[in-house]
Amino acid sequence: MSGSADRLPRLLALVPYLMSHPGAQVGEVAGVFGLSEKQLIDDLQLVWMCGLPGHTPGDLIDVSWDGGEILIDNADTIARPLRLGIDEASALLVALRMLAATPELAEVPGDALPRVTAKLERAAGEGAATVSTQVAVDVEAAPDALPRVREGLTRGRRLSLRYYVQGRDEVTPREVDPMRVVVVDGRAYLEGWCYRAEAMRLFRLDRVLGVDVLDVPADPPAEAEPRDVTAGVFRPSPTDELVELELSAAGRWVAEYYPCEQVTELGEGRLRVALRARDEDWILKLALRLGDTGRVVSPPDMAETVRQEAERALALYAHHS
C-alpha cells in the first residue's frame, strides 16, 4: 500500500475526477489512477470520512460504490483539480524545453512534446512563460554536427569546426581535439582542446555550422581537463563587471538560472541580485529579455545603455507596426 505522502495528492486529484465523471466504474477509475480495485476502495473509504470542520453527516463527503458505480456528493469545496503554482509550472516548462532540445529526442516521431509544452504555457500564463532555458539564435546549425563529432571521438581524430560566436556575432574557424559530448541545461556541447584559444572550450552543437573530421590524431595536452558542468556552463570571472538588477516576482528565475554573488529579498516576491556580466552585450540581451520583469540599477552607465536600447527597439516597433 502506498504511503501517506503519495496518498494525499492522489485523493486531492481523485475527488475532482469523480465529481466530473459521475457514475464512473470502480475498475475504470482504478485503471486511470494506476491502482488495484482494493486500493481504490480503501481510498474511497478514507474519502467518506473527510469533510469540513464539524464532522457531522452534513459536513462529510458522501461517496458510494454499490454495484461498482461510484457516486460522490457534498465535495464542492475540493471539486476543482489541483493547480500548479508559477514555480512548479516554470520548472516543468524548463524540463520540457530541455527534453525538446536533447539531440537523442530530436528524431522521435510525433508531436506530443510540443503539444504538452504549448498547453502548459497557455495554462501557466505569463509568469511561467517568461522562463526559458536559452535565448534562441537564428543560425543554420549543421544537421550532421552530432554524428560527425561522435565520429571524431570514436576514431580519436581532430575536428575542424565553423563555429558561431553569439557574443561577437561572427563565425570563427576552430581546430579542436574532442574529449566528450555533454548535455547541460538541455543543450548538447562538444568539449575539447581548442587550438585557437589554446585552452579547453565548450562548443554548443546548435551553433556549429560545419564539422570536418581531419586525418590528424587528436592529441590534447596534458593540462587538458574536462570542466565540472554540474552548476551550468556559464562561469563568471572575478574581472567581469558586477551588475545589479531589481527583479519582479516573474523575473526571479534569473537568481536560479545564473550564478549570483548576492541575492536580497525586497518583499512582495521582488529581488535585488548582483551578478558578473561577461560583456555588455550579454547583460543587454538579458535586460531586454526581462522586459518589465526586471531592470538594471547599477552601474549607472549600463542602466543608461539598456534604457537607450529599449527606447530604440520600441521606436523600431512603432515604425513597423
Side-chain angles (χ1 to χ4, degrees):
M1 182 177 293
S2 58
S4 58
D6 299 322
R7 200 174 188 188
L8 178 58
R10 187 170 71 238
L11 292 177
L12 291 173
L14 177 61
V15 172
Y17 180 86
L18 294 175
M19 291 288 288
S20 61
H21 296 78
Q25 297 294 311
V26 169
E28 169 196 338
V29 177
V32 169
F33 285 86
L35 304 171
S36 68
E37 292 190 10
K38 182 182 182 305
Q39 287 175 313
L40 176 61
I41 290 172
D42 287 343
D43 283 353
L44 293 175
Q45 288 174 332
L46 183 57
V47 168
W48 190 59
M49 294 184 287
C50 297
L52 295 172
H55 306 294
T56 66
D59 298 319
L60 299 178
I61 295 174
D62 183 15
V63 60
S64 66
W65 53 94
D66 294 338
E69 183 181 68
I70 305 174
L71 298 173
I72 189 167
D73 196 13
N74 204 33
D76 293 339
T77 53
I78 55 171
R80 296 180 62 187
L82 293 174
R83 295 182 62 86
L84 293 173
I86 290 298
D87 291 343
E88 295 167 317
S90 297
L92 281 174
L93 282 170
V94 168
L96 287 168
R97 290 167 182 157
M98 287 170 62
L99 282 174
T102 302
E104 285 75 7
L105 296 180
E107 298 181 0
V108 175
D111 62 347
L113 196 57
R115 285 191 292 105
V116 170
T117 303
K119 186 174 182 180
L120 183 57
E121 286 173 339
R122 290 194 300 269
E126 295 180 359
T130 59
V131 177
S132 174
T133 55
Q134 293 287 346
V135 177
V137 180
D138 186 18
V139 295
E140 293 186 9
D144 60 348
L146 183 58
R148 287 290 186 92
V149 166
R150 283 180 171 162
E151 179 187 348
L153 282 166
T154 302
R155 295 176 53 200
R157 293 291 186 265
R158 186 171 299 172
L159 299 173
S160 174
L161 310 179
R162 291 178 56 246
Y163 188 69
Y164 174 73
V165 182
Q166 183 188 20
R168 299 194 299 271
D169 191 27
E170 66 179 16
V171 178
T172 60
R174 308 290 181 111
E175 287 198 3
V176 179
D177 284 345
M179 297 183 69
R180 63 173 180 165
V181 171
V182 294
V183 177
V184 185
D185 293 335
R187 301 286 187 183
Y189 293 81
L190 161 67
E191 184 172 23
W193 181 265
C194 175
Y195 284 89
R196 179 188 177 101
E198 296 186 344
M200 289 291 291
R201 288 290 185 266
L202 284 161
F203 300 96
R204 263 180 57 172
L205 291 187
D206 62 348
R207 293 181 184 168
V208 174
L209 308 187
V211 187
D212 288 320
V213 181
L214 304 179
D215 193 19
V216 177
D219 186 26
E223 65 265 28
E225 291 287 340
R227 287 170 49 181
D228 180 5
V229 293
T230 54
V233 171
F234 176 48
R235 295 293 183 83
S237 166
T239 60
D240 292 341
E241 188 166 24
L242 190 65
V243 178
E244 286 189 309
L245 298 96
E246 286 189 1
L247 308 169
S248 71
R252 291 176 67 95
W253 60 268
V254 171
E256 299 173 2
Y257 192 74
Y258 296 108
C260 297
E261 295 194 0
Q262 187 175 359
V263 178
T264 305
E265 292 281 354
L266 300 177
E268 299 179 346
R270 297 179 301 117
L271 290 180
R272 178 186 286 258
V273 301
L275 51 76
R276 297 283 175 181
R278 52 193 171 201
D279 54 50
E280 183 179 280
D281 185 61
W282 181 84
I283 197 66
L284 179 61
K285 289 178 180 178
L286 175 61
L288 294 177
R289 177 181 169 194
L290 282 166
D292 61 359
T293 66
R295 66 184 184 94
V296 176
V297 293
S298 72
D301 58 337
M302 182 74 75
E304 178 62 19
T305 298
V306 171
R307 186 189 66 78
Q308 292 176 359
E309 188 62 23
E311 288 182 350
R312 188 182 73 83
L314 286 172
L316 286 172
Y317 175 78
H319 176 72
H320 291 288
S321 63

